[in-house]
Amino acid sequence: MRYQRPKGTADILPGTSETWQFVEATARDLFARYRFGEIRTPMFENYEVFSRTSGDTSDIVTKEMYDFKDKGDRHLSLRPEGTAGVVRAFVENKLYGPETTKPYKVYYMGPMFRYERPQSGRQREFHQIGVEAFGSDAPELDVEVIALGMNLLTKLGLKHLRLALNTLGDKASRDAYRQALIDFLEPHFDELSEDSQVRLHKNPLRVLDSKDAHDQEIVADAPSILDYLTPEAQEHFTKVKASLDALGIAYDVDATMVRGLDYYNHTIFEIMADSPALGEGYTTVLAGGRYNGLVEELGGPEMPGVGFGMGVERLVILMQAEKIALPDDNALDVYIVGIGDETSLETLKLVQAIRQAGLTADRDYLGRKPKAQFKTANRLDATYTLTIGDQELADQTANLKNMATGEQISVPLADIYQDFQKVVTDGFTAK
Ligand code: ATP
Ligand code: MG
């Protein structure tokens, strides 16, 4: 039998994992500057954590969730997204209390699971990096979160980004809009996809998010949420736009945009990139919005929140398509060439000593001939080779060669063991 990874999963191998590490390190660094702390929550939660929050007409809950009963008959689900678990943890650990400074700002990174049809940038196990900020209603906080998302993608070298912005208003706005949408969609009932027919009365906003081409044609003429906003919701949205303007962040208002999760209200946004690597047109890499009410939904007090989630696979595909250069921080400093069986113990000690001194080092373990070892050193692009044969062993020395200049020096082993950094600086720069 041949073993294969499950459909919709991926192995991330050296060569690509460097890009992942660069993304993660850049994100951590930037999040720290914005003063977001890291939170790590379980990869599975009680099923209700997601079913209650994502919405029971959402694709996530109806089609995509990996849920199962464990051996104790608990109904669990692999997390399909990050926010619900973070909110659950926020409530369970009473982080809403006066002991924490508000807004309470956290970030996460890790795998998410959705049963979807795999394609480029769409997997069953995928990864998100996301942020959440709790405890403030200020539109400026929405903008801080959006600015952070933009800042991150720009810092990672992405260009041709588009920020799409919309508001879903508050509950009163949405109730009014909901009715207008039902009135508009009902005459088209027979033409709608099966999913949309089911959703029309349960949750008509979902119809706007339909992936069905004919549904999309119909909703193109649907009424706009922007015409149903309460004065308060209107004011919030106006301030978000003014703050984005003040920061010089360009955006397009897309009044038909809704999100795949039910918990959003007020500001929602998507940052999209235009790259053929992810199919035609713009693809969303990072998406989020405000979710006032979600903390209450999971048993906490009234406490507003806003955040985003970013798809790492899509990001990495874009970075590779745009050939974004990574800092090379795992170059090989020294390759140790051992000649003859007798030297093996000494090369083992040397390779360890050089690593101890803070440099990267490698040696041969396959009994290769000296010529092949030098070839390996070249292929690995070593800065130096350190060669030791029977004679050097007897003399307690080794030959250090600068591979770029070809310069060679004989160095006492004792010096190497004492301070390899000094051997290198004294040996090659002091002349
Ligand atoms: P889509 O409309 O593409 O299905 P979504 O609305 O379901 O996206 P969100 O739940 O907002 O996506 O997730 C945020 C981001 O996570 C997406 O913009 C995308 O980059 C990424 N993402 C979502 N689902 C997947 C998946 N199955 N595989 C890879 N990345 C994903
Ligand atoms: Mg989806």
Side-chain angles (χ1 to χ4, degrees):
M1 132 161 226
R2 268 174 54 219
Y3 294 102
Q4 291 182 316
R5 58 180 185 264
K7 192 173 171 188
T9 65
D11 301 313
I12 302 162
L13 308 175
T16 302
S17 55
E18 289 82 359
T19 306
W20 284 72
Q21 291 177 342
F22 175 64
V23 167
E24 289 160 5
T26 305
R28 284 182 196 284
D29 185 63
L30 193 66
F31 293 158
R33 234 189 289 163
Y34 280 73
R35 311 247 335 129
F36 284 68
E38 185 179 8
I39 184 168
R40 302 188 188 199
T41 65
M43 266 177 250
F44 57 88
E45 298 272 356
N46 286 314
Y47 175 83
E48 289 73 26
V49 169
F50 304 112
S51 64
R52 277 202 73 103
T53 54
S54 294
D56 48 19
T57 56
S58 67
D59 276 347
I60 288 188
V61 172
T62 55
K63 301 175 185 163
E64 300 174 356
M65 203 123 84
Y66 278 92
D67 67 312
F68 58 97
K69 291 276 178 70
D70 75 0
K71 293 187 199 307
D73 211 33
R74 300 172 190 87
H75 193 185
L76 300 170
S77 175
L78 300 186
R79 63 182 184 193
E81 57 102 31
T83 303
V86 171
V87 172
R88 196 268 313 136
F90 182 78
V91 174
E92 186 167 348
N93 294 287
K94 299 195 172 55
L95 301 174
Y96 48 76
E99 298 78 25
T100 66
T101 306
K102 307 297 179 309
Y104 188 79
K105 304 197 284 190
V106 289
Y107 75 87
Y108 58 84
M109 39 184 81
M112 308 292 160
F113 307 86
R114 296 184 194 177
Y115 191 77
E116 299 203 67
R117 201 166 62 77
Q119 50 194 288
S120 172
R122 193 177 292 287
Q123 295 176 186
R124 292 184 175 172
E125 181 187 34
F126 64 101
H127 297 75
Q128 283 187 345
I129 296 179
V131 305
E132 319 289 354
F134 297 96
S136 166
D137 243 330
E140 291 82 0
L141 185 61
D142 306 24
V143 172
E144 166 156 322
V145 166
I146 295 172
L148 172 53
M150 274 299 206
N151 200 341
L152 178 58
L153 295 178
T154 318
K155 216 168 166 227
L156 290 169
L158 291 193
K159 297 184 190 80
H160 318 293
L161 297 173
R162 172 177 170 240
L163 169 62
L165 184 73
N166 194 21
T167 175
L168 297 174
D170 47 22
K171 188 165 182 310
S173 314
R174 248 190 344 281
D175 287 348
Y177 180 55
R178 188 192 140 88
Q179 195 49 54
L181 207 51
I182 292 177
D183 295 345
F184 169 83
L185 289 170
E186 265 178 339
H188 299 283
F189 186 83
D190 294 336
E191 301 168 60
L192 289 171
S193 70
E194 223 172 285
D195 273 347
S196 292
Q197 289 183 346
V198 173
R199 288 162 175 175
L200 173 59
H201 290 102
K202 277 192 180 168
N203 190 350
L205 266 73
R206 283 264 72 80
V207 179
L208 296 181
D209 198 31
S210 171
K211 304 278 193 289
D212 180 273
H214 190 59
D215 284 356
Q216 286 177 355
E217 274 172 41
I218 295 171
V219 302
D221 298 320
S224 163
I225 178 84
L226 301 180
D227 295 325
Y228 294 85
L229 298 179
T230 60
E232 298 75 33
Q234 181 62 60
E235 195 195 336
H236 188 96
F237 193 46
T238 303
K239 283 188 176 161
V240 166
K241 289 187 290 182
S243 306
L244 285 169
D245 292 338
L247 293 184
I249 298 175
Y251 56 87
D252 298 323
V253 173
D254 177 354
T256 60
M257 180 171 73
V258 291
R259 308 268 25 266
L261 303 154
D262 274 358
Y263 50 61
Y264 288 114
N265 41 55
H266 289 289
T267 316
I268 55 171
F269 65 94
E270 298 192 3
I271 305 179
M272 311 180 189
D274 182 12
S275 169
L278 286 170
E280 216 160 284
Y282 278 92
T283 311
T284 302
V285 192
L286 185 154
R290 190 164 264 291
Y291 46 79
N292 299 351
L294 192 57
V295 172
E296 259 179 299
E297 191 67 46
L298 288 182
E302 190 188 334
M303 173 121 334
V306 54
F308 70 65
M310 175 182 77
V312 184
E313 280 77 4
R314 286 186 201 179
L315 174 68
V316 168
I317 290 171
L318 287 170
M319 289 174 67
Q320 286 169 342
E322 297 200 16
K323 300 200 166 44
I324 289 165
L326 305 180
D328 181 10
D329 49 22
N330 197 27
L332 177 58
D333 296 321
V334 189
Y335 191 87
I336 304 188
V337 177
I339 306 171
D341 295 344
E342 301 306 310
T343 60
S344 190
L345 193 60
E346 200 65 45
T347 53
L348 185 60
K349 283 166 65 187
L350 283 168
V351 83
Q352 286 298 82
I354 292 170
R355 291 165 181 163
Q356 208 73 51
L359 286 89
T360 61
D362 234 331
R363 55 156 276 187
D364 173 68
Y365 282 108
L366 299 173
R368 291 188 185 93
K369 297 266 182 298
K371 205 174 151 201
Q373 291 188 44
F374 278 110
K375 237 172 122 178
T376 306
N378 269 320
R379 186 154 43 81
L380 298 177
D381 205 17
T383 311
Y384 301 101
T385 52
L386 186 67
T387 309
I388 180 162
D390 290 341
Q391 189 57 53
E392 287 80 12
L393 192 59
D395 299 344
Q396 286 292 291
T397 61
N399 281 321
L400 184 65
K401 179 176 178 183
N402 181 325
M403 297 296 273
T405 63
E407 211 180 330
Q408 286 196 58
I409 51 173
S410 171
V411 193
L413 293 184
D415 291 3
I416 297 175
Y417 287 121
Q418 196 183 6
D419 191 346
F420 184 73
Q421 296 269 17
K422 187 164 181 297
V423 168
V424 173
T425 14
D426 290 359
F428 292 112
T429 52
K431 287 183 193 157

